[in-house]
Amino acid sequence: MTTGRGKGYRRPRALSPLREHLRDTFWFAPTAAMVLVFVLWTGASALDAALVRLLQEHRNFAEVDELIRIVNDIKPVVSTVSSAMMTFIGVVFSISLVAVQMASGQFTPRVVRIFVRSRITKLTFAVFLATFTLSLLVLTSFESEAEARRVTTVPFVQSVLTLLMVALSLFLFIAYVNSTLRLMRVGHVVDRIAGESLRVLDRMPRGEFDGSAVGPESGRIGYAGRAGVLRDVNIARLVRAARGQGVVLRLLPRIGDFVVPGTPLLSVHGSEDGKGPDRAALRYTVMVGVERTFHQDLTFGLRQLCDIALRALSRAINDPTTAVLCLDRIVQLLTVLANRPLGAVGHPDGKGAVRLVQDVPDWADIVDLAFAEIRLCAVGSPQVTRRIMAGLDDLLRIAPADRREPLLRHRELLARAVQLTVPEAERAFALEPDRQGIG
């Protein structure tokens, strides 16, 4: 079976396990920063020794005395930095962890991912620890000898470098506080989730392939790795393995599914003996983890937006305005997907023959994810029901005729639920479309 790559086809890039591990951990950036600052201090120490030696060779002892006076004036500052920086780090990050805990409790635990993967957070922590390490190293370079003719080094460059690191730490502290405060604002969190979701949509290939054209199934290959959430599929490796065997493979679980050893992973099509690629050829073709990521996951952003909206509609929080804010972004994402081909994606090899079929959620699945749970929880909140009606009406005007049925179904179910639970005098108001809910 041969097909063209299709206009605009871009094979999704594989997710680097090492890169993903480093982004999900907090140890690498601070460790690398401390190693780097040690190397930097070594160079600055050698430069200070060379500078003093050069001045002594030219008998510029007055200049050496001036350097000694300057570094003696800076020494109390360096000493203060070394004693206060670690305490400062502890206090700042303790407060930050409390803020993150409050945000995860108010919105969804998934927002912790934003904090952990934040570059400004890791950079700030790294620079703080690097400044503390550098100040300790510089203190070891101060000599008790004050005679210009006999001193071997004067940590002038090291002291200046420490002051520059302190200044950088202060600027990063301001940026870090701003970033952490934005994490506590629901508008910023929702905007981040929507932005990452839109980037995923731009990278995903369009589902224009007829999955029924691959022919009858001749065999299946089970998953043999550790249990976890399917986070990534190495498309290039799977296509190469299928081409080498002369078959078509179909990925059975979707990105974001939880798989355990023995779960059917791939179905084999076009094999006369029912055999597919061997285990060696399929090694490192899938990646699992403890939680979902945005990489290749079309619906992860919608799942997070729905989680925030559902928590806002709970009786413990009762914040329908946040739910409306989430619905704004949900409608935005559905608007982008309304005219986009969805369903099975065929990944071709270099000659244009489809070798891997990957199922992605279709339009009905996405609409159900976007509205089903929120609709069930929003019946008693006219602000949210009015926003849902407005969003469905907007999508009905945008979506093609063959995609209106799921939208009409949710509209009818919402109207029926309101009629059953809302007093008659308030039904018309609760079902009136309004993009701001009630305003």
Side-chain angles (χ1 to χ4, degrees):
M1 179 178 54
T2 304
T3 182
R5 286 181 177 268
K7 183 177 180 181
Y9 173 83
R10 291 179 297 174
R11 178 178 291 172
R13 64 177 178 83
L15 184 65
S16 170
L18 176 60
R19 180 176 180 271
E20 195 68 11
H21 173 71
L22 294 180
R23 292 200 65 184
D24 283 339
T25 56
F26 235 77
W27 65 267
F28 177 73
T31 303
M34 288 190 290
V35 172
L36 181 62
V37 82
F38 181 80
V39 174
L40 192 63
W41 169 79
T42 303
S45 179
L47 184 60
D48 282 328
L51 177 61
V52 170
R53 190 164 52 250
L54 180 64
L55 292 175
Q56 289 174 340
E57 289 175 356
H58 290 79
R59 309 188 67 80
N60 294 326
F61 300 116
E63 285 77 0
V64 176
D65 286 332
E66 184 66 18
L67 288 178
I68 295 174
R69 185 186 63 80
I70 293 174
V71 297
N72 285 335
D73 291 339
I74 298 177
K75 184 177 181 180
V77 178
V78 177
S79 179
T80 302
V81 169
S82 65
S83 60
M85 183 58 72
M86 187 54 68
T87 303
F88 179 67
I89 293 172
V91 172
V92 168
F93 278 86
S94 296
I95 296 174
S96 301
L97 291 177
V98 172
V100 171
Q101 185 177 11
M102 292 176 58
S104 65
Q106 183 178 358
F107 306 140
T108 171
R110 260 65 65 187
V111 301
V112 178
R113 175 182 178 274
I114 299 177
F115 176 82
V116 172
R117 296 170 69 94
S118 171
R119 291 186 176 90
I120 186 65
T121 300
K122 294 179 180 179
L123 179 61
T124 302
F125 192 35
V127 171
F128 281 4
L129 288 178
T131 302
F132 171 72
T133 304
L134 179 62
S135 63
L136 293 180
L137 293 172
V138 172
L139 286 177
T140 64
S141 299
F142 284 93
E143 294 184 358
S144 58
E145 178 62 57
E147 174 61 40
R149 298 174 181 271
R150 304 169 66 179
V151 69
T152 59
T153 182
V154 178
F156 173 75
V157 176
Q158 301 170 62
S159 300
V160 172
L161 185 60
T162 303
L163 296 180
L164 291 176
M165 290 291 292
V166 171
L168 178 60
S169 299
L170 294 176
F171 282 115
L172 284 176
F173 172 68
I174 296 172
Y176 174 74
V177 170
N178 179 66
S179 176
T180 303
L181 291 176
R182 292 177 69 187
L183 179 62
M184 300 180 66
R185 295 166 51 191
V186 64
H188 172 70
V189 173
V190 170
D191 180 68
R192 280 282 300 271
I193 295 172
E196 289 196 58
S197 300
L198 290 173
R199 286 191 288 273
V200 172
L201 297 182
D202 290 338
R203 293 194 301 263
M204 290 293 290
R206 298 179 180 272
E208 299 173 326
F209 182 73
D210 183 7
S212 62
V214 297
E217 179 181 318
S218 57
R220 287 194 170 186
I221 300 173
Y223 174 66
R226 64 185 180 90
V229 176
L230 183 61
R231 307 174 76 175
D232 176 59
V233 177
N234 193 316
I235 304 297
R237 285 180 181 268
L238 283 174
V239 168
R240 188 160 55 246
R243 182 183 60 191
Q245 195 72 17
V247 298
V248 178
L249 299 176
R250 183 167 198 151
L251 183 68
L252 298 176
R254 293 175 178 173
I255 300 296
D257 287 357
F258 189 86
V259 295
V260 298
T263 300
L265 180 66
L266 297 164
S267 61
V268 182
H269 303 259
S271 175
E272 296 181 357
D273 55 4
K275 295 182 179 180
D278 56 25
R279 293 290 181 184
L282 297 177
R283 190 175 299 170
Y284 307 120
T285 55
V286 296
M287 174 184 174
V288 300
V290 296
E291 61 181 359
R292 296 168 68 176
T293 69
F294 277 99
H295 185 77
Q296 293 190 21
D297 199 334
L298 192 63
T299 58
F300 185 45
L302 282 173
R303 179 69 270 166
Q304 292 185 76
L305 292 174
C306 290
D307 286 347
I308 296 174
L310 293 172
R311 187 171 295 243
L313 291 173
S314 66
R315 294 184 178 181
I317 296 180
N318 192 22
D319 183 13
T321 303
T322 295
V324 169
L325 187 62
C326 293
L327 283 167
D328 292 340
R329 298 298 184 171
I330 288 173
V331 173
Q332 177 189 5
L333 295 177
L334 292 182
T335 300
V336 175
L337 289 168
N339 293 286
R340 182 190 179 102
L342 297 170
V345 177
H347 298 285
D349 58 16
K351 297 181 179 180
V354 170
R355 294 298 182 183
L356 175 66
V357 179
Q358 180 182 6
D359 289 319
V360 298
D362 60 20
W363 175 250
D365 294 334
I366 293 174
V367 172
D368 289 340
L369 170 60
F371 291 112
E373 295 173 299
I374 298 178
R375 172 176 53 77
L376 292 172
C377 295
V379 175
S381 177
Q383 182 181 2
V384 182
T385 57
R386 288 159 65 94
R387 181 64 185 96
I388 293 177
M389 294 296 287
L392 290 172
D393 288 350
D394 289 341
L395 291 169
L396 283 168
R397 285 189 286 268
I398 296 171
D402 60 344
R403 291 190 172 181
R404 292 177 181 173
E405 188 278 330
L407 301 171
L408 292 172
R409 174 165 52 85
H410 280 283
R411 199 179 193 281
E412 176 62 25
L413 289 173
L414 178 61
R416 191 181 306 171
V418 169
Q419 290 174 0
L420 292 175
T421 58
V422 177
E424 184 176 357
E426 299 179 4
R427 291 173 189 170
F429 177 78
L431 293 175
E432 182 180 350
D434 187 343
R435 291 189 180 91
Q436 293 187 22
I438 299 180

